[in-house]
Amino acid sequence: MGVKIADPLLMREINKYHVLETIRHHGQISRVEISERTLLSGTTVSAITGALIEEGLIQATHTQVNGESQRGRPRVLLGLVPDAAYVLGIKISEAMTTVTLVDFRGESVSSVQLPVRLARQPAEVIADLIEDAMDDCVNKADIDRKRIRGIGIGVPGLVDPRSGKSYSSSVFGEREVPITSLLEGRTGLPVKLEKPANLMALAESWFGYAQSERSFAVVALDQTASLGLWVEADLHRGASTLGPTFGHIKVGGAGVVCECGQRDCLNAYVSEAVIRRKAADAMGPDFLGSAAARADLKQALADAAVTGNPAASALLAELGEKLGVGISHIINLINPEKIIIALESAQLGEAMAPALRAAAEANSFRAHFATTELIFHTLDDQLWARGAAALMLRDIYSAPWTPAY
Amino acid sequence: MGVKIADPLLMREINKYHVLETIRHHGQISRVEISERTLLSGTTVSAITGALIEEGLIQATHTQVNGESQRGRPRVLLGLVPDAAYVLGIKISEAMTTVTLVDFRGESVSSVQLPVRLARQPAEVIADLIEDAMDDCVNKADIDRKRIRGIGIGVPGLVDPRSGKSYSSSVFGEREVPITSLLEGRTGLPVKLEKPANLMALAESWFGYAQSERSFAVVALDQTASLGLWVEADLHRGASTLGPTFGHIKVGGAGVVCECGQRDCLNAYVSEAVIRRKAADAMGPDFLGSAAARADLKQALADAAVTGNPAASALLAELGEKLGVGISHIINLINPEKIIIALESAQLGEAMAPALRAAAEANSFRAHFATTELIFHTLDDQLWARGAAALMLRDIYSAPWTPAY
DNA sequence: GTCTTTAATACGGGATGCGTAAAAAGTAGC
DNA sequence: GCTACTTTTTACGCATCCCGTATTAAAGAC
């Protein structure tokens, strides 16, 4: 069915949602303009904004002289109340754990980064770590803890948002970690879990390049390649609720065996471990030991490529080519309006882009390639963490017409 | 946004839609049961069914003794009025053109099949052909022509539902044929165009194996391989509105060049032309000339395989394997609840299934493969044509909450 | 023929959105 | 500084919708 039975209360909720979304999107907006944009009558907009003010979600900020005429009663601009709610966004990865406190508008209030290398740690240890970081983050911001409404968290590896469990993640020692219930138990707050690529997708949809797209994809290249898919105005999770698999999609090639046992998986060409091995061969024995490569391998390769190292260029071009083949599958099957390739640095994008675009074009149907825009976006820890927060914010803004997930 | 602003009229329309859908789905159903299933109050259901009866869309059929008790006032069963509307569904393919007249319930009323081989015919000739077939079909049924509300049509090749044009289809001589406006001009009826796989998807969703799925895919193997994708309760058309490309997805292999110029496209292994060439090599020179092979090549191969011909078995197994690889991409990226493989015969399914399943499993991520069900469905001209009709019926039943496409 | 049971329909209450009219809140001009 | 004007915002009345309860309708049970 897709849509709930309608009754007057739902009607009001739907319109309230539209008004709140309009305000969120525009930051500061007058009642008249809300009315124009939503097509709701002025009367209704007044009633709804009145209720929202009552609830403490929005407030009158200042008045604005109207458009051109400069005459008549000035419009009162309405905006979200920043501290109507706070949400914590957490990003865990092998090299860095980031905690960000986000206000009701989605703006970052404070942030804590832990440059701790995690690999196969006991879940309890990581939970301790996160708990401390959250405390720091909240203390720094000096806000009322009661206003924190929940936690969104992104964990690398296989993640099931429905059960809230993380499976065989490289950061955890255990194979299966009920990360949400672990954190819920410690904090008493609702916790939502997603895979990083889905958080990126959420972030792009709320704050980034995809604010009004019906369908787009985010390809993230971190330890492995992963994919977040946004279809029909929502994350696509598929039948398993695990979200799309991108790292194990087949990209052709020499039949290289992936660690999953299958052949020619994308990850068999682009995962961090594989790149490390190839870099050792191609760049000489000293490269891996260099400070730059130890800090960020791909970044070091990109720097080398930019400064004219042919081996580094060739390696990154191969990376781009394999990613491009994988992306061609997305273009052929889904043909989203945009595919956002999230990378750690702009140099990396420059080094990979030509080969990636060429491979994508060479392997996808022309009409589809022409309508899907490829965008390179420097991956930003803050944005990512804000995506995690948006995961929880979504619940507060919840679209009322679809039955609960 | 995705959903319209709500007002009382929309509210009523939404609930009306739900009631009508419930009646359509159940065939015969009492007001009480509608109320239970939709969660609308009895009062509202009475009001809505009253209006629907007024409009002539539904009618009281007969009364039913209530559930167990056999006591009390019997329930009046409501059902769709079959001749509230009629729709024509047309399927054009190279070997056969089918026209089906479908009533408001989606039941086929009459059908005409033209076993005419079409290849690069002028559009006007085909339009003449179709017009005659439609006339025959309507005359056979002896209904009021004024009740025909529209035409849904499926044409092989590249098809743009938005512009209503067919591009480089094997049946048309011209590269670009504005098929909808051509037929609209001749009949004065609204015409909607889709690619066959999308019509199959629509048929499966309305009448077939996917009546309550949120997401599923239909893989059709006709002259070429094609794909219809159903995501979030609607056909997924993508940014180009052309729908997914399946025939040109890359499935690995020996680097065989496809007619599109790229390498290792699925079609380079499974299209009718390719199979014909391979069958000539593998089955000996007489095979292609045989009556069975001339009538239906793949069917002839399947028959041979079933009776123990190893060359035919091997050929079909290779077909299945390549399709399986293509399907693994669907599983990995979309992970729909079901993938329905529409084939021309059950024998063909038997001959290809093992290799197809094996290849799909070997190339897709385990958790995703486990949650996506593979179903073989014998492709049925009638069902296909009913799908074409459903394309138009959808408009009559139109879901009111989404803005017009 | 009356009683019991269940289905379907009026009726009143509550909530919503819309259009119009009135009030509010500024600017422009003198 | 006051008045006229313009535009925003709110108040009021009306129409529509859904829901819960009471009432009527239509059967079988006795």
Side-chain angles (χ1 to χ4, degrees), chain A residues 301-303 305-306 312-313 316-318 320 346-356:
Chain A
L301 282 169
D303 287 339
V306 167
S313 292
L316 290 177
E318 195 200 338
Q347 292 97 312
L348 193 53
E350 281 166 34
M352 298 195 333
L356 191 154

Side-chain angles (χ1 to χ4, degrees), chain A residues 122-367:
Chain A
E124 290 289 341
V125 171
I126 295 185
D128 283 343
L129 209 79
I130 294 174
E131 205 180 354
D132 288 348
M134 288 195 294
D135 274 340
D136 282 2
C137 195
V138 173
N139 288 338
K140 252 180 26 182
D142 186 34
I143 60 148
D144 182 2
R145 304 181 89 91
K146 292 199 194 70
R147 289 191 170 278
I148 300 176
R149 298 280 286 273
I151 301 169
I153 182 165
V155 177
L158 204 59
V159 146
D160 186 353
R162 199 168 43 181
S163 67
K165 287 182 180 169
S166 153
Y167 297 97
S168 57
S169 171
S170 52
V171 299
F172 290 118
E174 300 87 349
R175 271 191 59 79
E176 180 183 325
V177 178
I179 181 76
T180 60
S181 45
L182 212 61
L183 290 180
E184 274 169 2
R186 284 166 182 249
T187 60
L189 292 169
V191 177
K192 280 184 179 283
L193 175 67
E194 268 293 354
K195 62 178 192 171
N198 274 355
L199 297 184
M200 286 301 300
L202 214 44
E204 296 288 1
S205 145
W206 271 57
F207 316 111
Y209 288 142
Q211 296 199 30
S212 54
E213 306 303 331
R214 286 186 71 76
S215 65
F216 69 91
V218 172
V219 170
L221 184 60
D222 198 30
Q223 296 298 111
T224 63
S226 68
L227 173 66
L229 220 48
W230 186 271
V231 182
E232 292 298 317
D234 203 1
L235 285 174
H236 180 74
R237 294 203 179 82
S240 66
T241 72
L242 300 174
T245 314
F246 194 51
H248 297 285
I249 203 165
K250 302 304 174 284
V251 292
V256 174
V257 176
C258 175
E259 60 181 12
C260 75
Q262 299 180 349
R263 284 172 187 280
D264 286 334
C265 294
L266 178 57
N267 272 349
Y269 295 95
V270 306
S271 79
E272 189 83 5
V274 170
I275 297 173
R276 170 161 289 117
R277 213 161 51 230
K278 289 193 178 171
D281 290 351
M283 302 288 292
D286 298 338
F287 177 74
L288 281 189
S290 69
R294 292 169 74 114
D296 188 332
L297 178 64
K298 287 197 285 284
Q299 181 58 46
L301 282 169
D303 287 339
V306 167
T307 55
N309 182 314
S313 292
L315 215 162
L316 290 177
E318 195 200 338
L319 225 66
E321 191 244 321
K322 291 300 180 186
L323 270 177
V325 175
I327 284 170
S328 76
H329 293 321
I330 303 174
I331 295 175
N332 282 325
L333 290 182
I334 320 224
N335 184 210
E337 284 159 31
K338 289 179 177 169
I339 298 179
I340 299 168
I341 296 134
L343 296 171
E344 286 152 327
S345 77
Q347 292 97 312
L348 193 53
E350 281 166 34
M352 298 195 333
L356 191 154
R357 282 187 198 279
E361 181 162 15
N363 289 284
S364 50
F365 196 67
R366 200 176 333 115

Side-chain angles (χ1 to χ4, degrees), chain B residues 145-190:
Chain B
R145 302 182 90 91
K146 292 198 195 72
R147 289 191 171 278
I148 299 176
R149 298 279 287 273
I151 300 169
I153 181 166
V155 177
L158 204 58
V159 146
D160 186 354
R162 198 168 42 181
S163 68
K165 286 181 180 170
S166 153
Y167 297 97
S168 58
S169 171
S170 52
V171 299
F172 291 118
E174 299 87 349
R175 271 191 58 78
E176 179 182 326
V177 178
I179 182 76
T180 60
S181 45
L182 212 62
L183 290 179
E184 274 168 2
R186 283 165 183 248
T187 60
L189 292 169

Side-chain angles (χ1 to χ4, degrees), chain B residues 226-240:
Chain B
S226 68
L227 173 66
L229 219 48
W230 187 271
V231 182
E232 292 298 318
D234 202 0
L235 284 174
H236 180 75
R237 294 200 180 83
S240 66

Side-chain angles (χ1 to χ4, degrees), chain A residues 112 157 277 396:
Chain A
V112 170
R277 213 161 51 230
I396 305 178

